[in-house]
Amino acid sequence: MKKISERPLFVGNWLSMHELIYETNEGVQIAWEAVRRRNAPIGVVVIAKMVPSKRFILIKQFRPAVNGYVLSFVAGLAKGDPKQAVRELREETGYVGKIINVSPALKTGSSIIDDSGKIIYVEVDEKDP
């Protein structure tokens, strides 16, 4: 596959949609749509485990894209910075955690969006006020 061209179809405040034209090895052109983040940050997902109970911290948030509430791990657009991920955890839940592990940047929805994200593993001491 070889990329021939790209043109924007829509540009919003946070996302843009593009038409991509590719050519196969057989010379057939294929049109594809892709979503891009306007600021291209690396997002973070915080998997926070409470110690000693081994429970995980989830949050309930309204998400307009699904017109309802979802349960999820703490997440945000934090430029992939693990320290910012711990701040997100505190802002969204009030808990303070210690970083245990950080994944490399991963492609999160590569079939439609150019997003990247890191998984930040955190332990939260339940005895810490």
Side-chain angles (χ1 to χ4, degrees):
M1 296 282 269
K2 179 182 170 188
K3 185 175 175 181
I4 303 298
S5 65
E6 177 174 336
R7 71 181 178 100
L9 299 173
F10 167 81
V11 178
N13 291 329
W14 307 105
L15 301 172
S16 60
M17 178 175 256
H18 300 258
E19 179 185 57
L20 313 172
I21 305 296
Y22 279 82
E23 187 174 276
T24 67
N25 295 339
E26 295 77 30
V28 177
Q29 287 194 0
I30 298 171
W32 207 286
E33 286 117 19
V35 176
R36 301 201 188 290
R37 287 210 181 270
R38 297 268 327 268
N39 298 329
I42 298 175
V44 293
V45 174
V46 182
I47 299 180
K49 182 171 71 172
M50 299 180 83
V51 177
S53 71
K54 298 183 182 176
R55 296 178 296 161
F56 289 93
I57 298 172
L58 299 173
I59 58 173
K60 180 181 176 182
Q61 287 184 313
F62 182 81
R63 292 296 186 187
V66 297
N67 191 32
Y69 288 89
V70 297
L71 291 177
S72 67
F73 291 110
V74 170
L77 298 174
K79 298 181 181 171
D81 178 4
K83 290 178 185 169
Q84 181 64 33
V86 172
R87 285 191 287 273
E88 287 273 337
L89 176 67
R90 185 170 188 180
E91 281 177 19
E92 294 185 20
T93 68
Y95 288 105
V96 177
K98 179 176 121 188
I99 297 169
I100 301 302
N101 197 359
V102 178
S103 79
L106 306 167
K107 288 297 182 187
T108 58
S110 59
S111 63
I112 192 166
I113 192 166
D114 65 349
D115 245 0
S116 292
K118 290 183 178 181
I119 300 170
I120 313 296
Y121 298 92
V122 172
E123 283 188 351
V124 174
D125 182 351
E126 291 174 280
K127 296 174 185 156
D128 184 2

